[in-house]
Amino acid sequence: LIEVYPPPLPAVYTQIFPPLLNPVMWERSGNVPALVRLLQAYLQKQQVSGEQLQGVLGVFQKLIASKALDHLGFYILNAVVESVPSEALQQYLTNIHSLLCVRLQTSPTPKYTRAWVLFVCLFIDKHGTAVVMNSLDALQPGLFGMLLQQVVVPNFPSVQGQMEHKLVAVALAKVLTECPNLVADWGQLLGALVAYIGSQGENGVEDDGEAGFESGYSAAFAQLHYSRKKETDPLPGVVPGQFLVGEIKKLGLVDRVPLDVRQKLNL
């Protein structure tokens, strides 16, 4: 009901939110998918800050530690990135990045790595490359560039799904055009991105099974197969290929584009 109720939410719904953050509610793993979907609905309908935001991030921290439930932790984190202004998030970013990077370094799985790449791309899409780069570099100088080269670039082609594909493509277009000197082989990554955008028609269809549930950017199913959630587009009206071409032209980068890629983009 919360998903379809227009904001602001009435008290009968908002009074359920604080108990939802009680750690006891999250102890049974079978309840977690439905709780995640409910928490996402709240985040989309009302602003959270202070103790409530800390509580939400506490749930994220609990889930991200589990290999079985880490993708659900990313669903919550992605909802926070979409709904909370970057200024309100600023004080928590160092701890968020630290938790994610420790797990990425010590016990990564293909599922976790894809989810992390998708989180970073959504973060860039919503708040800009500079915000993400500065928040990661605050943890360790040069960390953003290192993770871009060692994690994002090798793994972004494995992120599939219609919405996920769009989020990744637009984010990489922003990185390439907003920070062109950060990428060691700019032309090669641009070519890979153009191929990725072109593959959307082949591989960018929405999943109808559990694979989408485990690797998507939000909990479309949350194991409620009788009530599928309609995903909202975080980037309405944005077409990745058109966006990439527009940014290349706007920032005067046409001469840097390899000839074969320039032909594919009609530059």
Side-chain angles (χ1 to χ4, degrees):
L1 291 176
I2 293 175
E3 290 174 350
V4 299
Y5 202 101
L9 293 174
V12 68
Y13 289 142
T14 57
Q15 66 187 6
I16 305 173
F17 185 74
L20 182 60
L21 303 179
N22 190 320
V24 176
M25 296 283 289
W26 300 83
E27 288 180 356
R28 293 186 60 183
S29 59
N31 295 336
V32 170
L35 291 173
V36 167
R37 181 166 169 178
L38 181 57
L39 188 53
Q40 283 182 295
Y42 273 112
L43 291 170
Q44 291 168 355
K45 300 294 182 177
Q46 65 177 32
Q47 287 286 333
V48 296
S49 58
E51 291 185 4
Q52 286 188 336
L53 181 54
Q54 291 180 32
V56 171
L57 293 175
V59 174
F60 146 75
Q61 182 174 350
K62 176 181 176 63
L63 297 180
I64 213 71
S66 166
K67 288 185 178 181
L69 302 174
D70 51 14
H71 58 290
L72 296 171
F74 276 108
Y75 292 163
I76 293 174
L77 187 58
N78 290 343
V80 168
V81 167
E82 281 195 81
S83 61
V84 179
S86 59
E87 297 80 12
L89 269 179
Q90 191 64 44
Q91 62 178 307
Y92 305 106
L93 288 180
T94 298
N95 188 46
I96 290 172
H97 285 314
S98 179
L99 288 169
L100 294 176
C101 288
V102 167
R103 171 69 199 279
L104 190 66
Q105 183 179 24
T106 59
S107 56
T109 63
K111 182 185 70 166
Y112 181 89
T113 302
R114 286 194 302 271
W116 181 86
V117 169
L118 190 54
F119 155 70
V120 170
C121 288
L122 177 64
F123 201 172
I124 291 171
D125 289 332
K126 300 301 292 187
H127 300 289
T129 306
V131 170
V132 180
M133 178 169 61
N134 291 339
S135 63
L136 276 167
D137 285 355
L139 191 62
Q140 176 183 317
L143 183 60
F144 177 76
M146 181 180 70
L147 290 173
L148 177 68
Q149 298 286 358
Q150 296 182 8
V151 183
V152 177
V153 172
N155 290 285
F156 82 85
S158 68
V159 179
Q160 297 297 338
Q162 186 175 7
M163 197 68 68
E164 293 80 3
H165 191 283
K166 179 178 182 177
L167 296 175
V168 170
V170 173
L172 288 178
K174 286 189 174 187
V175 171
L176 282 166
T177 54
E178 294 174 6
C179 306
N181 296 324
L182 189 65
V183 181
D185 197 330
W186 189 87
Q188 183 176 344
L189 178 55
L190 176 62
L193 175 58
V194 170
Y196 182 69
I197 293 173
S199 73
Q200 195 276 335
E202 300 173 13
N203 301 314
V205 296
E206 293 188 25
D207 293 320
D208 291 325
E210 289 297 320
F213 166 68
E214 292 192 354
S215 60
Y217 102 97
S218 70
F221 280 94
Q223 292 188 355
L224 301 178
H225 296 293
Y226 53 84
S227 177
R228 179 166 182 169
K229 170 187 168 187
K230 182 180 179 181
E231 286 213 301
T232 56
D233 188 348
L235 304 172
V238 178
V239 179
Q242 295 176 7
F243 177 81
L244 175 61
V245 170
E247 292 299 289
I248 288 174
K249 289 180 177 178
K250 183 174 72 175
L251 296 172
L253 297 169
V254 175
D255 291 341
R256 292 190 61 170
V257 179
L259 182 59
D260 61 327
V261 178
R262 198 179 306 177
Q263 292 172 341
K264 293 178 182 177
L265 294 175
N266 294 318
L267 288 171

